[in-house]
Amino acid sequence: MNPYLQVEDLTKSYGDRILFESVTFGVNEGDKIGIIAKNGTGKSTLLRLLSGVESPDSGTVTFRNDLRVGFLDQDPVFTPHATLMEEMLPALREEDHEEWNREDRVVQMLSQLGLPDPNLTVDHLSGGQRKRASLARVLLSQPDLLILDEPTNHLDISTIEWLENYLTRQRVTLLMVTHDRYFLDRVCNKIIEIDLRQIFTYEGNFDYYLRRRAERIEALTGELAKVRNILRKEQEWMRRQPQARAGKARYRINAFYDLKQKASLRYDEKNINPNEVKSSYIGSKIFEAEGISKRFGDKVILDDFTYTFARYEKVGIVGENGVGKSTFIKMLMGLVPQDKGEWNVGETVRFGYYSQEGLDLPEGKKVIDAITDITEEVVVNDATRYSPMQFLTKFLFSPADQQKYISTLSGGEKRRLHLAAVLITRPNFLILDEPTNDLDIMTLGILEEYLKDFKGCVIVISHDRFFLDSIVDHLFVMEGNGVIKDFPGNHTDYRNYLKELRAAKQKEVAEKPEAPKRETRERVRKMTFKERKEYEALTVEIEKLTQEKDTLESLFNSGENISDVAEKAARYSQLKELLDEKEMRWLELDELN
């Protein structure tokens, strides 16, 4: 066991708010550690302390001598006016390679992270592009210890899967915060949880952590019940007791206050329960999209899109970054006009919109005042009503937290407040644009339970594969150029479907075709001669393109020097586009087969 990092008695607070107190843990070579905690309890702060960006109140952080550490911050900093190439080159480790090889390595990494133009200046990057550029920079530095704060935010699903495979294969030691549960499960071999200002370590992946954590919570809950039982007896003694002078009495009084503090703790997250706030009634007519088209210059977002939404339908929208997913739902909300076509919305539909940008909540207001401005009473049903203060408590905002100014909240706490502000209006049609970004895993689990039982419609855009698998009935797959395919299943179903198709195509090419049976000949006659020729040609072409793409992926991941990497990276991006286009055409023809 080779120690890389040792943390001893670390304490950090902001004002009178203690995030964690006297925590101790170590990181050894080969560890791939995921850090889990509720929003606002110090996940990102811990990473910033370890990376040296912030200083602790007390305690020590000791790294092995000469250890190279790479840190991915949520708010990356770049040199103004620099190109991506200029920003990436200094990150490369000193090596005995020619300059052209260093540039090729940069092009290769940028291309794999969806940034094919190395001459793009950092000033013109979007928020998502900045995060990907920062990730490319830290990976290129090839550190011994990689510290990542929410690495999957702003990545599309295919890039997340690439990063997942990359980190699994690499021998790098990893410490990261992420809400992506599949990512945690497949990459990590250890989980550290921050809870009740302490550190709890679990030797295993996320699935193992869930099982062991449930056992810990059960044990703590049982212990808490015993403490409260003793406390009730001690309270009786305190009420009977005059002001004590004896040492024994004073000791018992001090012990009483210790018990009282322990009894005030909560060991479960069930106090956030949005299920109590039911959706408004939704009628049989939801809404219809009739011939919706939208383009920005030459870029087509929708092309004659027509669909009728059913009651209680839950659909996920997936597709590569930039195909227009957010534009689609903004058009539905009336925030972006369509070029032609019409949305017909039912009279009973009440939208709740959770956006990437967040609600425009005034930074200078307190949490409680911002929610009171929305409504002064939350109607659950005819018998139950909540005040804004009671409702916020269910979203993990204590009375003290509710008096905080919004400007002082963490990013995750603001997202949680946004969620509360959306659900407090009792919508019956939820539109969620990347709801999982910056929400902690505990809140995500409860939001998923709420959405499963939600008596209304849901449209969700998400790169969180676990979230999509838990919520949606089917997918709108946005392929670009205005094409939307409706897939009847969740995200894992869709990915498995594509894998099965590819495997079937490979098998079909490998095996010598047999003479068609009578029923097969009858099916073949559904295709025209021209379509049959196109179908057969596509089958062979897709196989060749897939093999070429796989070969390039193996080359990129081999660590070998590649003389023409820029050309190969461009070809790799082209292959992905060609495969998407040709596989969808193959599927259309296969339905006739």
Side-chain angles (χ1 to χ4, degrees), residues 166 339 341 553:
Y166 178 88
D339 296 337
E553 283 181 347

Side-chain angles (χ1 to χ4, degrees), residues 428-444:
N428 53 29
F429 198 127
L430 280 171
I431 298 179
L432 310 174
D433 191 356
E434 294 293 358
T436 63
N437 284 358
D438 299 319
L439 284 181
D440 59 66
I441 286 175
M442 293 76 172
T443 307
L444 279 176

Side-chain angles (χ1 to χ4, degrees), residues 347-359:
E347 293 182 0
T348 62
V349 171
R350 181 185 294 179
F351 287 118
Y353 180 35
Y354 185 96
S355 68
Q356 290 191 62
E357 294 83 7
L359 282 181

Side-chain angles (χ1 to χ4, degrees), residues 5-111:
L5 165 67
Q6 186 62 38
V7 175
E8 296 282 352
D9 295 325
L10 202 67
T11 297
K12 182 65 177 179
S13 61
Y14 291 105
D16 58 355
R17 183 184 185 188
I18 300 175
L19 295 179
F20 35 82
E21 190 171 21
S22 300
V23 301
T24 296
F25 66 93
V27 178
N28 298 315
E29 182 180 10
D31 283 347
K32 288 185 168 66
I33 302 173
I35 299 177
I36 294 175
K38 298 171 188 169
N39 285 333
T41 56
K43 299 188 298 293
S44 294
T45 299
L46 177 60
L47 295 191
R48 293 169 70 83
L49 291 175
L50 300 183
S51 63
V53 177
E54 292 189 30
S55 300
D57 299 340
S58 61
T60 59
V61 177
T62 306
F63 290 92
R64 194 197 71 186
N65 289 336
D66 301 322
L67 190 76
R68 294 186 305 272
V69 180
F71 176 49
L72 176 71
D73 200 349
Q74 286 202 44
D75 301 307
V77 177
F78 297 103
T79 306
H81 314 307
T83 66
L84 282 172
M85 178 63 72
E86 292 168 341
E87 195 67 26
M88 298 298 123
L89 282 174
L92 292 171
R93 288 166 53 181
E94 292 296 327
E95 298 174 6
D96 296 326
H97 294 309
E98 299 293 336
E99 185 65 23
W100 61 263
N101 187 56
R102 291 164 59 83
E103 291 183 354
D104 288 345
R105 289 185 57 218
V106 169
V107 171
Q108 174 185 327
M109 181 62 73
L110 290 175
S111 179

Side-chain angles (χ1 to χ4, degrees), residues 139-154:
L139 294 179
L140 283 167
S141 69
Q142 295 182 286
D144 301 313
L145 173 60
L146 189 56
I147 301 177
L148 305 177
D149 195 358
E150 296 290 2
T152 62
N153 278 5
H154 305 293

Side-chain angles (χ1 to χ4, degrees), residues 112-337:
Q112 288 175 320
L113 288 171
L115 297 166
D117 184 2
N119 297 315
L120 190 65
T121 60
V122 294
D123 303 26
H124 295 95
L125 298 179
S126 67
Q129 288 174 323
R130 290 178 68 86
K131 185 64 177 281
R132 281 179 274 147
S134 181
L135 180 58
R137 182 171 60 184
V138 74
L139 294 179
L140 283 167
S141 69
Q142 295 182 286
D144 301 313
L145 173 60
L146 189 56
I147 301 177
L148 305 177
D149 195 358
E150 296 290 2
T152 62
N153 278 5
H154 305 293
L155 301 184
D156 57 44
I157 290 174
S158 61
T159 307
I160 290 173
E161 291 176 342
W162 173 85
L163 180 62
E164 189 177 275
N165 293 330
Y166 178 88
L167 293 176
T168 301
R169 289 192 307 269
Q170 297 297 311
R171 298 185 63 182
V172 66
T173 300
L174 177 66
L175 186 67
M176 70 173 174
V177 170
T178 180
H179 64 261
D180 190 313
R181 286 146 295 179
Y182 282 158
F183 200 86
L184 282 167
D185 205 43
R186 294 164 184 169
V187 174
C188 295
N189 55 29
K190 185 184 291 186
I191 301 293
I192 289 179
E193 181 185 14
I194 305 173
D195 191 23
L196 304 174
R197 303 175 182 174
Q198 303 173 54
I199 289 288
F200 298 90
T201 302
Y202 303 83
E203 298 284 346
N205 64 7
F206 181 69
D207 185 62
Y208 175 81
Y209 153 77
L210 288 178
R211 297 196 304 272
R212 294 302 304 271
R213 182 179 188 272
E215 295 171 4
R216 178 174 73 85
I217 294 299
E218 184 178 357
L220 289 173
T221 303
E223 180 184 331
L224 182 60
K226 294 177 182 178
V227 167
R228 288 175 176 166
N229 188 42
I230 296 172
L231 179 65
R232 282 193 293 271
K233 296 177 181 178
E234 292 299 284
Q235 282 175 326
E236 289 295 322
W237 180 82
M238 287 286 288
R239 279 196 291 268
R240 295 195 308 268
Q241 194 71 359
Q243 186 173 4
R245 299 293 180 185
K248 184 176 181 180
R250 284 198 300 273
Y251 173 81
R252 189 169 179 180
I253 290 170
N254 291 336
F256 167 79
Y257 287 114
D258 288 341
L259 277 173
K260 192 172 183 180
Q261 182 178 6
K262 286 182 181 179
S264 67
L265 297 176
R266 299 187 65 93
Y267 290 124
D268 63 63
E269 292 81 38
K270 295 302 182 184
N271 55 327
I272 170 174
N273 185 11
N275 287 295
E276 294 181 359
V277 184
K278 305 300 181 184
S279 60
S280 303
Y281 168 78
I282 189 166
S284 57
K285 180 181 178 181
I286 312 303
F287 80 83
E288 300 170 349
E290 296 183 358
I292 304 294
S293 295
K294 181 67 180 179
R295 67 168 59 221
F296 294 103
D298 294 333
K299 183 176 181 179
V300 180
I301 304 298
L302 291 180
D303 185 15
D304 196 27
F305 175 72
T306 298
Y307 191 82
T308 300
F309 278 77
R311 186 191 260 178
Y312 310 143
E313 187 171 343
K314 296 179 175 68
V315 57
I317 301 180
V318 298
E320 300 294 323
N321 287 334
V323 296
K325 299 186 296 292
S326 293
T327 301
F328 176 90
I329 60 175
K330 286 178 180 177
M331 291 167 60
L332 168 60
M333 295 290 298
L335 302 175
V336 172

Side-chain angles (χ1 to χ4, degrees), residues 288-434:
E288 300 170 349
E290 296 183 358
I292 304 294
S293 295
K294 181 67 180 179
R295 67 168 59 221
F296 294 103
D298 294 333
K299 183 176 181 179
V300 180
I301 304 298
L302 291 180
D303 185 15
D304 196 27
F305 175 72
T306 298
Y307 191 82
T308 300
F309 278 77
R311 186 191 260 178
Y312 310 143
E313 187 171 343
K314 296 179 175 68
V315 57
I317 301 180
V318 298
E320 300 294 323
N321 287 334
V323 296
K325 299 186 296 292
S326 293
T327 301
F328 176 90
I329 60 175
K330 286 178 180 177
M331 291 167 60
L332 168 60
M333 295 290 298
L335 302 175
V336 172
Q338 63 267 25
D339 296 337
K340 64 178 182 178
E342 187 175 358
W343 304 99
N344 296 316
V345 181
E347 293 182 0
T348 62
V349 171
R350 181 185 294 179
F351 287 118
Y353 180 35
Y354 185 96
S355 68
Q356 290 191 62
E357 294 83 7
L359 282 181
D360 187 18
L361 295 172
E363 296 279 305
K365 278 201 171 185
K366 295 180 179 179
V367 169
I368 183 65
D369 295 334
I371 293 298
T372 304
D373 287 347
I374 298 173
T375 181
E376 294 188 355
E377 186 177 53
V378 184
V379 179
V380 177
N381 51 47
D382 293 339
T384 307
R385 297 167 186 262
Y386 288 132
S387 68
M389 179 174 287
Q390 291 171 317
F391 186 75
L392 281 169
T393 301
K394 295 182 177 297
F395 282 80
L396 301 181
F397 288 101
S398 67
D401 291 336
Q402 294 177 32
Q403 297 303 317
K404 292 179 183 176
Y405 287 97
I406 293 174
S407 59
T408 67
L409 300 180
S410 69
E413 288 174 314
K414 287 180 181 178
R415 299 287 281 184
R416 180 155 29 97
L417 180 61
H418 182 188
L419 180 62
V422 170
L423 297 183
I424 204 171
T425 61
R426 300 178 65 215
N428 53 29
F429 198 127
L430 280 171
I431 298 179
L432 310 174
D433 191 356
E434 294 293 358

